[in-house]
Amino acid sequence: MVLRDNDTKFVRQLVNNINANLHVCQLAKVTALNDDHTRASVQPLALNATGTKRALLMNVVVGKSAQMFIDVGSVVGVVFLDRSLVNWDGTANEFKLDSERMHNLNDAVVMEVFA
């Protein structure tokens, strides 16, 4: 009997691959802050499948409410925006996208301080 579930296996693997490369939110530890607490470097807490540390996220935008509580060593929630932040000037002004990238590690924002 010939197995006919290759299409199902393919779709499941495709979904797994998409999910593995889709960045939504991570817990991270703050390793450095700028003087006014508007930017941070953070180390994601979840290890890679190989047991190694994930890459440090640098120059991450810190949300206004998080700025009051964040400190080096804090555990924070980092989200990855749908679109590139490259041309955003930090204001409510509209801006042009510089690329089609989505949910990229370069577009991280600290949204919450947990500990």
Side-chain angles (χ1 to χ4, degrees):
M1 181 173 168
V2 176
L3 294 176
R4 298 179 187 251
D5 64 346
N6 285 338
D7 54 345
T8 303
K9 287 181 182 178
F10 170 79
V11 170
R12 285 185 181 150
Q13 186 62 44
L14 177 64
V15 169
N16 287 340
N17 287 340
I18 290 170
N19 288 338
N21 292 299
L22 180 66
H23 307 288
V24 179
C25 186
Q26 291 190 27
L27 289 174
K29 181 178 177 180
V30 177
T31 60
L33 279 170
N34 68 352
D35 290 337
D36 61 0
H37 291 191
T38 58
R39 298 282 177 153
S41 293
V42 299
Q43 176 66 58
L45 294 177
L47 300 174
N48 286 312
T50 60
T52 58
K53 288 184 178 184
R54 295 179 185 272
L56 187 70
L57 302 174
M58 298 170 46
N59 204 31
V60 175
V61 173
V62 179
K64 283 213 182 261
S65 58
Q67 291 172 17
M68 298 185 318
F69 303 103
I70 197 167
D71 205 354
V72 173
S74 295
V75 175
V76 297
V78 180
V79 298
F80 305 94
L81 300 182
D82 287 344
R83 299 292 181 183
S84 170
L85 282 174
V86 170
N87 291 330
W88 181 54
D89 63 4
T91 69
N93 294 329
E94 295 174 344
F95 62 96
K96 289 187 178 187
L97 296 175
D98 75 325
S99 69
E100 293 183 12
R101 73 181 186 210
M102 298 176 71
H103 298 280
N104 191 280
L105 294 174
N106 294 312
D107 303 314
V109 176
V110 172
M111 294 299 290
E112 182 63 83
V113 178
F114 293 110

